[in-house]
PDB file of all heavy atoms in Angstrom:
ATOM      1  N   SER A   6     -36.095  26.348 163.637  1.00 69.00           N
ATOM      2  CA  SER A   6     -35.115  25.279 163.699  1.00 69.00           C
ATOM      3  C   SER A   6     -35.809  23.986 164.095  1.00 69.00           C
ATOM      4  O   SER A   6     -36.688  23.946 164.946  1.00 69.00           O
ATOM      5  CB  SER A   6     -34.001  25.608 164.690  1.00 69.00           C
ATOM      6  OG  SER A   6     -33.116  24.499 164.844  1.00 69.00           O
ATOM      7  N   ASP A   7     -35.407  22.854 163.471  1.00 67.00           N
ATOM      8  CA  ASP A   7     -36.038  21.565 163.808  1.00 67.00           C
ATOM      9  C   ASP A   7     -35.294  20.782 164.860  1.00 67.00           C
ATOM     10  O   ASP A   7     -35.559  19.614 165.062  1.00 67.00           O
ATOM     11  CB  ASP A   7     -36.188  20.719 162.557  1.00 67.00           C
ATOM     12  CG  ASP A   7     -34.855  20.351 161.896  1.00 67.00           C
ATOM     13  OD1 ASP A   7     -33.813  20.796 162.434  1.00 67.00           O
ATOM     14  OD2 ASP A   7     -34.852  19.698 160.842  1.00 67.00           O
ATOM     15  N   THR A   8     -34.364  21.443 165.578  1.00 66.00           N
ATOM     16  CA  THR A   8     -33.661  20.805 166.713  1.00 66.00           C
ATOM     17  C   THR A   8     -34.344  21.131 168.012  1.00 66.00           C
ATOM     18  O   THR A   8     -35.082  22.088 168.134  1.00 66.00           O
ATOM     19  CB  THR A   8     -32.206  21.274 166.733  1.00 66.00           C
ATOM     20  OG1 THR A   8     -32.179  22.721 166.949  1.00 66.00           O
ATOM     21  CG2 THR A   8     -31.474  20.903 165.459  1.00 66.00           C
ATOM     22  N   MET A   9     -34.128  20.292 169.006  1.00 68.00           N
ATOM     23  CA  MET A   9     -34.739  20.446 170.317  1.00 68.00           C
ATOM     24  C   MET A   9     -34.100  21.619 171.081  1.00 68.00           C
ATOM     25  O   MET A   9     -34.714  22.147 172.005  1.00 68.00           O
ATOM     26  CB  MET A   9     -34.665  19.163 171.147  1.00 68.00           C
ATOM     27  CG  MET A   9     -35.582  18.069 170.610  1.00 68.00           C
ATOM     28  SD  MET A   9     -37.319  18.516 170.776  1.00 68.00           S
ATOM     29  CE  MET A   9     -37.490  18.665 172.560  1.00 68.00           C
ATOM     30  N   PHE A  10     -32.860  21.931 170.761  1.00 65.00           N
ATOM     31  CA  PHE A  10     -32.156  22.990 171.474  1.00 65.00           C
ATOM     32  C   PHE A  10     -31.721  24.041 170.479  1.00 65.00           C
ATOM     33  O   PHE A  10     -31.665  23.812 169.265  1.00 65.00           O
ATOM     34  CB  PHE A  10     -30.943  22.426 172.192  1.00 65.00           C
ATOM     35  CG  PHE A  10     -31.278  21.366 173.203  1.00 65.00           C
ATOM     36  CD1 PHE A  10     -31.206  20.020 172.902  1.00 65.00           C
ATOM     37  CD2 PHE A  10     -31.734  21.736 174.457  1.00 65.00           C
ATOM     38  CE1 PHE A  10     -31.544  19.050 173.833  1.00 65.00           C
ATOM     39  CE2 PHE A  10     -32.077  20.780 175.405  1.00 65.00           C
ATOM     40  CZ  PHE A  10     -31.973  19.438 175.093  1.00 65.00           C
ATOM     41  N   VAL A  11     -31.381  25.195 171.016  1.00 62.00           N
ATOM     42  CA  VAL A  11     -31.026  26.332 170.174  1.00 62.00           C
ATOM     43  C   VAL A  11     -29.662  26.053 169.533  1.00 62.00           C
ATOM     44  O   VAL A  11     -28.699  25.663 170.201  1.00 62.00           O
ATOM     45  CB  VAL A  11     -30.979  27.601 171.012  1.00 62.00           C
ATOM     46  CG1 VAL A  11     -30.393  28.753 170.161  1.00 62.00           C
ATOM     47  CG2 VAL A  11     -32.332  27.958 171.513  1.00 62.00           C
ATOM     48  N   ALA A  12     -29.592  26.231 168.245  1.00 61.00           N
ATOM     49  CA  ALA A  12     -28.350  26.066 167.511  1.00 61.00           C
ATOM     50  C   ALA A  12     -28.249  27.144 166.413  1.00 61.00           C
ATOM     51  O   ALA A  12     -29.255  27.485 165.830  1.00 61.00           O
ATOM     52  CB  ALA A  12     -28.277  24.684 166.870  1.00 61.00           C
ATOM     53  N   PHE A  13     -27.077  27.711 166.281  1.00 65.00           N
ATOM     54  CA  PHE A  13     -26.891  28.714 165.248  1.00 65.00           C
ATOM     55  C   PHE A  13     -25.665  28.374 164.428  1.00 65.00           C
ATOM     56  O   PHE A  13     -24.588  28.086 164.966  1.00 65.00           O
ATOM     57  CB  PHE A  13     -26.725  30.117 165.869  1.00 65.00           C
ATOM     58  CG  PHE A  13     -26.778  31.210 164.873  1.00 65.00           C
ATOM     59  CD1 PHE A  13     -28.026  31.713 164.488  1.00 65.00           C
ATOM     60  CD2 PHE A  13     -25.631  31.722 164.300  1.00 65.00           C
ATOM     61  CE1 PHE A  13     -28.087  32.733 163.544  1.00 65.00           C
ATOM     62  CE2 PHE A  13     -25.712  32.717 163.332  1.00 65.00           C
ATOM     63  CZ  PHE A  13     -26.940  33.228 162.971  1.00 65.00           C
ATOM     64  N   PRO A  14     -25.815  28.400 163.106  1.00 67.00           N
ATOM     65  CA  PRO A  14     -27.037  28.703 162.341  1.00 67.00           C
ATOM     66  C   PRO A  14     -28.107  27.614 162.548  1.00 67.00           C
ATOM     67  O   PRO A  14     -27.773  26.477 162.853  1.00 67.00           O
ATOM     68  CB  PRO A  14     -26.536  28.757 160.915  1.00 67.00           C
ATOM     69  CG  PRO A  14     -25.319  27.892 160.885  1.00 67.00           C
ATOM     70  CD  PRO A  14     -24.664  28.054 162.245  1.00 67.00           C
ATOM     71  N   PRO A  15     -29.386  27.965 162.360  1.00 64.00           N
ATOM     72  CA  PRO A  15     -30.478  27.020 162.586  1.00 64.00           C
ATOM     73  C   PRO A  15     -30.337  25.823 161.637  1.00 64.00           C
ATOM     74  O   PRO A  15     -29.825  25.942 160.510  1.00 64.00           O
ATOM     75  CB  PRO A  15     -31.741  27.824 162.270  1.00 64.00           C
ATOM     76  CG  PRO A  15     -31.321  29.248 162.415  1.00 64.00           C
ATOM     77  CD  PRO A  15     -29.890  29.284 162.031  1.00 64.00           C
ATOM     78  N   ARG A  16     -30.775  24.676 162.118  1.00 69.00           N
ATOM     79  CA  ARG A  16     -30.709  23.451 161.310  1.00 69.00           C
ATOM     80  C   ARG A  16     -32.133  23.063 160.903  1.00 69.00           C
ATOM     81  O   ARG A  16     -33.005  22.941 161.715  1.00 69.00           O
ATOM     82  CB  ARG A  16     -30.073  22.324 162.151  1.00 69.00           C
ATOM     83  CG  ARG A  16     -28.674  22.645 162.647  1.00 69.00           C
ATOM     84  CD  ARG A  16     -28.185  21.598 163.619  1.00 69.00           C
ATOM     85  NE  ARG A  16     -26.878  21.971 164.203  1.00 69.00           N
ATOM     86  CZ  ARG A  16     -26.300  21.252 165.181  1.00 69.00           C
ATOM     87  NH1 ARG A  16     -26.858  20.169 165.629  1.00 69.00           N
ATOM     88  NH2 ARG A  16     -25.107  21.697 165.620  1.00 69.00           N
ATOM     89  N   GLY A  17     -32.288  22.858 159.579  1.00 69.00           N
ATOM     90  CA  GLY A  17     -33.563  22.416 159.079  1.00 69.00           C
ATOM     91  C   GLY A  17     -34.595  23.561 159.104  1.00 69.00           C
ATOM     92  O   GLY A  17     -34.268  24.729 159.351  1.00 69.00           O
ATOM     93  N   PHE A  18     -35.809  23.194 158.844  1.00 74.00           N
ATOM     94  CA  PHE A  18     -36.934  24.157 158.842  1.00 74.00           C
ATOM     95  C   PHE A  18     -38.199  23.461 159.298  1.00 74.00           C
ATOM     96  O   PHE A  18     -38.561  22.394 158.784  1.00 74.00           O
ATOM     97  CB  PHE A  18     -37.131  24.758 157.467  1.00 74.00           C
ATOM     98  CG  PHE A  18     -38.240  25.763 157.411  1.00 74.00           C
ATOM     99  CD1 PHE A  18     -38.039  27.070 157.742  1.00 74.00           C
ATOM    100  CD2 PHE A  18     -39.531  25.341 157.025  1.00 74.00           C
ATOM    101  CE1 PHE A  18     -39.071  27.999 157.698  1.00 74.00           C
ATOM    102  CE2 PHE A  18     -40.583  26.259 156.980  1.00 74.00           C
ATOM    103  CZ  PHE A  18     -40.357  27.581 157.344  1.00 74.00           C
ATOM    104  N   THR A  19     -38.895  24.081 160.275  1.00 74.00           N
ATOM    105  CA  THR A  19     -40.170  23.545 160.736  1.00 74.00           C
ATOM    106  C   THR A  19     -40.937  24.666 161.390  1.00 74.00           C
ATOM    107  O   THR A  19     -40.385  25.636 161.933  1.00 74.00           O
ATOM    108  CB  THR A  19     -39.935  22.391 161.751  1.00 74.00           C
ATOM    109  OG1 THR A  19     -41.196  21.930 162.166  1.00 74.00           O
ATOM    110  CG2 THR A  19     -39.163  22.894 162.969  1.00 74.00           C
ATOM    111  N   LEU A  20     -42.299  24.551 161.319  1.00 78.00           N
ATOM    112  CA  LEU A  20     -43.177  25.478 162.013  1.00 78.00           C
ATOM    113  C   LEU A  20     -43.836  24.812 163.195  1.00 78.00           C
ATOM    114  O   LEU A  20     -44.773  25.363 163.773  1.00 78.00           O
ATOM    115  CB  LEU A  20     -44.257  25.962 161.027  1.00 78.00           C
ATOM    116  CG  LEU A  20     -43.763  26.798 159.846  1.00 78.00           C
ATOM    117  CD1 LEU A  20     -44.936  27.137 158.918  1.00 78.00           C
ATOM    118  CD2 LEU A  20     -43.039  28.068 160.283  1.00 78.00           C
ATOM    119  N   SER A  21     -43.283  23.672 163.585  1.00 81.00           N
ATOM    120  CA  SER A  21     -43.929  22.909 164.703  1.00 81.00           C
ATOM    121  C   SER A  21     -43.800  23.664 166.026  1.00 81.00           C
ATOM    122  O   SER A  21     -44.669  23.504 166.909  1.00 81.00           O
ATOM    123  CB  SER A  21     -43.270  21.520 164.853  1.00 81.00           C
ATOM    124  OG  SER A  21     -41.858  21.657 165.106  1.00 81.00           O
ATOM    125  N   TRP A  22     -42.753  24.500 166.163  1.00 79.00           N
ATOM    126  CA  TRP A  22     -42.637  25.257 167.417  1.00 79.00           C
ATOM    127  C   TRP A  22     -43.765  26.259 167.575  1.00 79.00           C
ATOM    128  O   TRP A  22     -44.251  26.511 168.681  1.00 79.00           O
ATOM    129  CB  TRP A  22     -41.279  25.956 167.496  1.00 79.00           C
ATOM    130  CG  TRP A  22     -40.138  24.979 167.568  1.00 79.00           C
ATOM    131  CD1 TRP A  22     -39.209  24.710 166.596  1.00 79.00           C
ATOM    132  CD2 TRP A  22     -39.786  24.133 168.667  1.00 79.00           C
ATOM    133  NE1 TRP A  22     -38.349  23.748 167.032  1.00 79.00           N
ATOM    134  CE2 TRP A  22     -38.650  23.374 168.285  1.00 79.00           C
ATOM    135  CE3 TRP A  22     -40.347  23.906 169.927  1.00 79.00           C
ATOM    136  CZ2 TRP A  22     -38.097  22.428 169.113  1.00 79.00           C
ATOM    137  CZ3 TRP A  22     -39.784  22.976 170.770  1.00 79.00           C
ATOM    138  CH2 TRP A  22     -38.653  22.263 170.376  1.00 79.00           C
ATOM    139  N   TYR A  23     -44.176  26.862 166.456  1.00 84.00           N
ATOM    140  CA  TYR A  23     -45.317  27.773 166.515  1.00 84.00           C
ATOM    141  C   TYR A  23     -46.585  27.056 166.902  1.00 84.00           C
ATOM    142  O   TYR A  23     -47.396  27.536 167.675  1.00 84.00           O
ATOM    143  CB  TYR A  23     -45.476  28.485 165.192  1.00 84.00           C
ATOM    144  CG  TYR A  23     -44.416  29.528 164.933  1.00 84.00           C
ATOM    145  CD1 TYR A  23     -43.287  29.172 164.158  1.00 84.00           C
ATOM    146  CD2 TYR A  23     -44.504  30.807 165.366  1.00 84.00           C
ATOM    147  CE1 TYR A  23     -42.278  30.082 163.906  1.00 84.00           C
ATOM    148  CE2 TYR A  23     -43.520  31.773 165.133  1.00 84.00           C
ATOM    149  CZ  TYR A  23     -42.399  31.403 164.427  1.00 84.00           C
ATOM    150  OH  TYR A  23     -41.431  32.312 164.154  1.00 84.00           O
ATOM    151  N   ALA A  24     -46.774  25.846 166.316  1.00 83.00           N
ATOM    152  CA  ALA A  24     -47.958  25.069 166.668  1.00 83.00           C
ATOM    153  C   ALA A  24     -47.955  24.681 168.119  1.00 83.00           C
ATOM    154  O   ALA A  24     -48.967  24.701 168.803  1.00 83.00           O
ATOM    155  CB  ALA A  24     -48.029  23.798 165.762  1.00 83.00           C
ATOM    156  N   LYS A  25     -46.763  24.323 168.639  1.00 82.00           N
ATOM    157  CA  LYS A  25     -46.652  23.971 170.025  1.00 82.00           C
ATOM    158  C   LYS A  25     -46.975  25.136 170.940  1.00 82.00           C
ATOM    159  O   LYS A  25     -47.662  25.018 171.958  1.00 82.00           O
ATOM    160  CB  LYS A  25     -45.221  23.450 170.338  1.00 82.00           C
ATOM    161  CG  LYS A  25     -44.980  23.077 171.778  1.00 82.00           C
ATOM    162  CD  LYS A  25     -43.568  22.597 171.985  1.00 82.00           C
ATOM    163  CE  LYS A  25     -43.331  22.271 173.482  1.00 82.00           C
ATOM    164  NZ  LYS A  25     -41.923  21.810 173.734  1.00 82.00           N
ATOM    165  N   VAL A  26     -46.472  26.336 170.552  1.00 83.00           N
ATOM    166  CA  VAL A  26     -46.747  27.533 171.377  1.00 83.00           C
ATOM    167  C   VAL A  26     -48.240  27.855 171.372  1.00 83.00           C
ATOM    168  O   VAL A  26     -48.794  28.143 172.429  1.00 83.00           O
ATOM    169  CB  VAL A  26     -45.913  28.730 170.828  1.00 83.00           C
ATOM    170  CG1 VAL A  26     -46.419  30.036 171.378  1.00 83.00           C
ATOM    171  CG2 VAL A  26     -44.455  28.537 171.162  1.00 83.00           C
ATOM    172  N   VAL A  27     -48.871  27.813 170.242  1.00 84.00           N
ATOM    173  CA  VAL A  27     -50.296  28.152 170.166  1.00 84.00           C
ATOM    174  C   VAL A  27     -51.128  27.160 170.985  1.00 84.00           C
ATOM    175  O   VAL A  27     -52.177  27.573 171.559  1.00 84.00           O
ATOM    176  CB  VAL A  27     -50.753  28.140 168.670  1.00 84.00           C
ATOM    177  CG1 VAL A  27     -52.229  28.332 168.582  1.00 84.00           C
ATOM    178  CG2 VAL A  27     -50.033  29.307 167.952  1.00 84.00           C
ATOM    179  N   ARG A  28     -50.731  25.941 171.059  1.00 87.00           N
ATOM    180  CA  ARG A  28     -51.485  24.928 171.831  1.00 87.00           C
ATOM    181  C   ARG A  28     -51.149  24.935 173.293  1.00 87.00           C
ATOM    182  O   ARG A  28     -51.834  24.249 174.114  1.00 87.00           O
ATOM    183  CB  ARG A  28     -51.245  23.517 171.263  1.00 87.00           C
ATOM    184  CG  ARG A  28     -51.815  23.298 169.880  1.00 87.00           C
ATOM    185  CD  ARG A  28     -51.824  21.832 169.527  1.00 87.00           C
ATOM    186  NE  ARG A  28     -50.500  21.250 169.622  1.00 87.00           N
ATOM    187  CZ  ARG A  28     -49.692  21.081 168.567  1.00 87.00           C
ATOM    188  NH1 ARG A  28     -50.057  21.501 167.353  1.00 87.00           N
ATOM    189  NH2 ARG A  28     -48.483  20.543 168.723  1.00 87.00           N
ATOM    190  N   ASP A  29     -50.108  25.645 173.695  1.00 86.00           N
ATOM    191  CA  ASP A  29     -49.666  25.644 175.078  1.00 86.00           C
ATOM    192  C   ASP A  29     -50.656  26.365 175.970  1.00 86.00           C
ATOM    193  O   ASP A  29     -50.958  27.551 175.729  1.00 86.00           O
ATOM    194  CB  ASP A  29     -48.303  26.329 175.184  1.00 86.00           C
ATOM    195  CG  ASP A  29     -47.680  26.227 176.555  1.00 86.00           C
ATOM    196  OD1 ASP A  29     -48.363  25.729 177.491  1.00 86.00           O
ATOM    197  OD2 ASP A  29     -46.524  26.681 176.726  1.00 86.00           O
ATOM    198  N   PRO A  30     -51.229  25.721 176.989  1.00 89.00           N
ATOM    199  CA  PRO A  30     -52.197  26.376 177.872  1.00 89.00           C
ATOM    200  C   PRO A  30     -51.624  27.572 178.607  1.00 89.00           C
ATOM    201  O   PRO A  30     -52.332  28.567 178.809  1.00 89.00           O
ATOM    202  CB  PRO A  30     -52.610  25.269 178.863  1.00 89.00           C
ATOM    203  CG  PRO A  30     -52.278  23.982 178.153  1.00 89.00           C
ATOM    204  CD  PRO A  30     -51.102  24.278 177.341  1.00 89.00           C
ATOM    205  N   ASP A  31     -50.348  27.499 178.972  1.00 86.00           N
ATOM    206  CA  ASP A  31     -49.700  28.653 179.648  1.00 86.00           C
ATOM    207  C   ASP A  31     -49.656  29.840 178.693  1.00 86.00           C
ATOM    208  O   ASP A  31     -49.892  30.971 179.131  1.00 86.00           O
ATOM    209  CB  ASP A  31     -48.300  28.280 180.123  1.00 86.00           C
ATOM    210  CG  ASP A  31     -48.284  27.253 181.214  1.00 86.00           C
ATOM    211  OD1 ASP A  31     -49.327  27.178 181.925  1.00 86.00           O
ATOM    212  OD2 ASP A  31     -47.311  26.565 181.430  1.00 86.00           O
ATOM    213  N   PHE A  32     -49.302  29.598 177.446  1.00 86.00           N
ATOM    214  CA  PHE A  32     -49.248  30.697 176.475  1.00 86.00           C
ATOM    215  C   PHE A  32     -50.630  31.293 176.237  1.00 86.00           C
ATOM    216  O   PHE A  32     -50.798  32.489 176.196  1.00 86.00           O
ATOM    217  CB  PHE A  32     -48.682  30.162 175.152  1.00 86.00           C
ATOM    218  CG  PHE A  32     -48.720  31.178 174.020  1.00 86.00           C
ATOM    219  CD1 PHE A  32     -47.780  32.185 173.921  1.00 86.00           C
ATOM    220  CD2 PHE A  32     -49.759  31.132 173.071  1.00 86.00           C
ATOM    221  CE1 PHE A  32     -47.820  33.098 172.922  1.00 86.00           C
ATOM    222  CE2 PHE A  32     -49.768  32.064 172.033  1.00 86.00           C
ATOM    223  CZ  PHE A  32     -48.791  33.048 171.957  1.00 86.00           C
ATOM    224  N   GLN A  33     -51.642  30.430 176.106  1.00 88.00           N
ATOM    225  CA  GLN A  33     -53.021  30.912 175.909  1.00 88.00           C
ATOM    226  C   GLN A  33     -53.478  31.752 177.077  1.00 88.00           C
ATOM    227  O   GLN A  33     -54.095  32.810 176.911  1.00 88.00           O
ATOM    228  CB  GLN A  33     -53.961  29.730 175.670  1.00 88.00           C
ATOM    229  CG  GLN A  33     -53.685  28.949 174.431  1.00 88.00           C
ATOM    230  CD  GLN A  33     -54.517  27.676 174.309  1.00 88.00           C
ATOM    231  OE1 GLN A  33     -55.387  27.407 175.167  1.00 88.00           O
ATOM    232  NE2 GLN A  33     -54.315  26.909 173.262  1.00 88.00           N
ATOM    233  N   SER A  34     -53.197  31.277 178.308  1.00 90.00           N
ATOM    234  CA  SER A  34     -53.609  32.013 179.498  1.00 90.00           C
ATOM    235  C   SER A  34     -52.894  33.352 179.610  1.00 90.00           C
ATOM    236  O   SER A  34     -53.494  34.380 179.860  1.00 90.00           O
ATOM    237  CB  SER A  34     -53.337  31.166 180.743  1.00 90.00           C
ATOM    238  OG  SER A  34     -53.639  31.903 181.905  1.00 90.00           O
ATOM    239  N   ALA A  35     -51.558  33.362 179.351  1.00 89.00           N
ATOM    240  CA  ALA A  35     -50.794  34.590 179.440  1.00 89.00           C
ATOM    241  C   ALA A  35     -51.188  35.545 178.358  1.00 89.00           C
ATOM    242  O   ALA A  35     -51.295  36.776 178.622  1.00 89.00           O
ATOM    243  CB  ALA A  35     -49.278  34.285 179.370  1.00 89.00           C
ATOM    244  N   LEU A  36     -51.467  35.051 177.154  1.00 88.00           N
ATOM    245  CA  LEU A  36     -51.880  35.932 176.066  1.00 88.00           C
ATOM    246  C   LEU A  36     -53.209  36.590 176.321  1.00 88.00           C
ATOM    247  O   LEU A  36     -53.352  37.802 176.142  1.00 88.00           O
ATOM    248  CB  LEU A  36     -51.944  35.129 174.758  1.00 88.00           C
ATOM    249  CG  LEU A  36     -52.360  35.920 173.503  1.00 88.00           C
ATOM    250  CD1 LEU A  36     -51.328  36.991 173.216  1.00 88.00           C
ATOM    251  CD2 LEU A  36     -52.507  34.967 172.315  1.00 88.00           C
ATOM    252  N   SER A  37     -54.177  35.803 176.822  1.00 90.00           N
ATOM    253  CA  SER A  37     -55.497  36.376 177.095  1.00 90.00           C
ATOM    254  C   SER A  37     -55.402  37.381 178.282  1.00 90.00           C
ATOM    255  O   SER A  37     -56.066  38.430 178.210  1.00 90.00           O
ATOM    256  CB  SER A  37     -56.495  35.255 177.419  1.00 90.00           C
ATOM    257  OG  SER A  37     -56.074  34.526 178.594  1.00 90.00           O
ATOM    258  N   PHE A  38     -54.603  37.072 179.272  1.00 93.00           N
ATOM    259  CA  PHE A  38     -54.488  38.015 180.403  1.00 93.00           C
ATOM    260  C   PHE A  38     -53.802  39.284 179.936  1.00 93.00           C
ATOM    261  O   PHE A  38     -54.238  40.415 180.318  1.00 93.00           O
ATOM    262  CB  PHE A  38     -53.724  37.355 181.552  1.00 93.00           C
ATOM    263  CG  PHE A  38     -53.569  38.289 182.745  1.00 93.00           C
ATOM    264  CD1 PHE A  38     -54.619  38.531 183.578  1.00 93.00           C
ATOM    265  CD2 PHE A  38     -52.361  38.914 182.991  1.00 93.00           C
ATOM    266  CE1 PHE A  38     -54.490  39.387 184.660  1.00 93.00           C
ATOM    267  CE2 PHE A  38     -52.194  39.762 184.083  1.00 93.00           C
ATOM    268  CZ  PHE A  38     -53.280  39.996 184.919  1.00 93.00           C
ATOM    269  N   SER A  39     -52.730  39.182 179.154  1.00 91.00           N
ATOM    270  CA  SER A  39     -52.030  40.349 178.664  1.00 91.00           C
ATOM    271  C   SER A  39     -52.947  41.224 177.794  1.00 91.00           C
ATOM    272  O   SER A  39     -52.913  42.453 177.873  1.00 91.00           O
ATOM    273  CB  SER A  39     -50.762  39.965 177.892  1.00 91.00           C
ATOM    274  OG  SER A  39     -49.751  39.530 178.795  1.00 91.00           O
ATOM    275  N   ALA A  40     -53.711  40.560 176.922  1.00 90.00           N
ATOM    276  CA  ALA A  40     -54.627  41.301 176.067  1.00 90.00           C
ATOM    277  C   ALA A  40     -55.670  42.030 176.886  1.00 90.00           C
ATOM    278  O   ALA A  40     -55.976  43.208 176.611  1.00 90.00           O
ATOM    279  CB  ALA A  40     -55.287  40.346 175.055  1.00 90.00           C
TER     280      ALA A  40
END
Side-chain angles (χ1 to χ4, degrees):
S6 175
D7 62 0
T8 60
M9 289 295 297
F10 300 97
V11 173
F13 191 84
R16 301 172 185 173
F18 179 86
T19 180
L20 296 177
S21 60
W22 294 110
Y23 288 94
K25 179 181 178 181
V26 165
V27 172
R28 293 194 301 265
D29 187 355
D31 292 336
F32 174 79
Q33 296 173 2
S34 176
L36 180 64
S37 61
F38 180 75
S39 286

